[in-house]
Each structure stands twice: as structure tokens, then as C-alpha cells.
Amino acid sequence: MNMVPHPSFERKSRILVVDDVEDNRIVLQRQLQRSGFEVTLCEDGVAALAEVSANPPDLVILDWMMPNLSGLDTLKGIREHFDANGLPVIMCTARDEESSIGAAMDAGANDYVQKPIRMPVLLARISSQLIRKAAVEALGVINTDLEETLAQRTRLLFEQRIAEQK
């Protein structure tokens, strides 16, 4: 099953893959590129935080167990600057305890997949998060437009009442 980015996206979505195991990064990169995504790779949490800061991706796939800065700590660093609507993060790990899933979600993860990764599942979750992100962005634009329209109409009514009082 080969899923592609939602047709409403104007450009290829860019996914940041963060994993300390090179083979995992390469496999994900190839499969995601085949599905139509641009992919950036980082080998640890420190590099991921620098990449997110310099060039924010559309979505992050983040390994949990990494040396130095864990995936959970990396997620917390990402959430200091981006909320879950602005930058979706999917945690990816071999851990399957419910407490780990809860900890990841409490720290701001949008979703969670277990290793070994089943690509149809990961692609469905990526697509779901990107569609959600695009919907939130579209609602933000609509809200801004509505606020501008309300401000214009309020100004016109105010000017009209001043004119009537003269």
C-alpha cells in the first residue's frame, strides 16, 4: 500500500527522521521518499533540535531510545517552541508499555508507533497528522479573515453613527 501526501498540500511535505541507528534512518528515508515526501535525517536529539530551530519540518518521526538526549527529552525541547498543532511529532520506538505511550503523549507527542515499523500504519498516521495540521492552519487563516471583516464592519458602523449624529 503506497500512500502519498494529501492533494491539498501545495508542496511536498518535509519529514524529519531522528534515529541514532543509521540503517533505520536510511530505510525510513527511502520508504518515505517513495511515498512522495522530502526527508531530512538527524542521528540524535541535539542535531534534531538544531534542525527544527533552523529549518522547521512539517512533521517529525522521533526515536525514543537514543544516547545523550532521549527522544522524550528531544520532544520536550521541540514543544518549548512548537505546539502539537504547529509541528506534529510521531514517537517511534520498540517500547510498548502503556506508561511509555502515556509519557510520550503527556510530553506532547501527536502519535506513537512501535518498532518494527509497519509502513502502511506509519504512512496512515503521517497522512492523518499532516491533514490535521493543514486543517488547523486553514482555520487560522479563516479566523484572521473573519477578525479583519469584523473590525472593518465595526469601524464602518462607528463612522456611520458619527455621521448620523452630525
Side-chain angles (χ1 to χ4, degrees):
M1 181 170 155
N2 192 16
M3 295 183 68
V4 295
H6 192 271
S8 68
F9 298 130
E10 295 176 8
R11 59 171 175 73
K12 284 186 177 184
S13 296
R14 193 170 68 83
I15 297 176
L16 174 62
V17 174
V18 186
D19 197 312
D20 60 316
V21 178
E22 183 178 16
D23 288 344
N24 292 346
R25 290 191 310 269
I26 292 170
V27 167
L28 279 174
Q29 179 183 33
R30 287 180 183 155
Q31 292 180 336
L32 292 170
Q33 285 175 335
R34 274 191 227 126
S35 295
F37 298 103
E38 289 182 22
V39 181
T40 302
L41 304 175
C42 286
E43 63 187 27
D44 62 36
V46 174
L49 290 175
E51 178 65 27
V52 165
S53 176
N55 190 15
D58 296 301
L59 181 138
V60 177
I61 298 173
L62 181 59
D63 184 32
W64 183 299
M65 293 183 279
M66 296 184 293
N68 302 324
L69 193 61
S70 73
L72 193 60
D73 290 333
T74 303
L75 173 61
K76 290 174 183 177
I78 291 170
R79 289 297 174 241
E80 289 177 10
H81 303 284
F82 296 91
D83 67 15
N85 291 325
L87 180 54
V89 176
I90 298 175
M91 295 295 293
C92 180
T93 185
R95 299 175 68 125
D96 64 353
E97 305 94 37
E98 287 182 20
S99 62
S100 295
I101 296 170
M105 301 308 263
D106 288 345
N110 295 72
D111 210 336
Y112 189 99
V113 294
Q114 292 179 276
K115 291 179 179 177
I117 297 171
R118 294 180 312 213
M119 280 310 292
V121 171
L122 179 60
L123 290 171
R125 291 180 177 189
I126 289 169
S127 178
S128 174
Q129 291 303 321
L130 292 175
I131 290 169
R132 180 178 174 273
K133 179 182 177 184
V136 168
E137 289 171 356
L139 286 173
V141 169
I142 291 169
N143 190 44
T144 300
D145 290 346
L146 287 172
E147 288 173 355
E148 289 174 7
T149 300
L150 180 61
Q152 287 174 347
R153 288 187 180 172
T154 301
R155 197 170 34 254
L156 287 172
L157 283 172
F158 182 71
E159 290 170 357
Q160 190 175 33
R161 286 193 179 156
I162 289 176
E164 289 172 358
Q165 291 174 356
K166 288 185 179 180

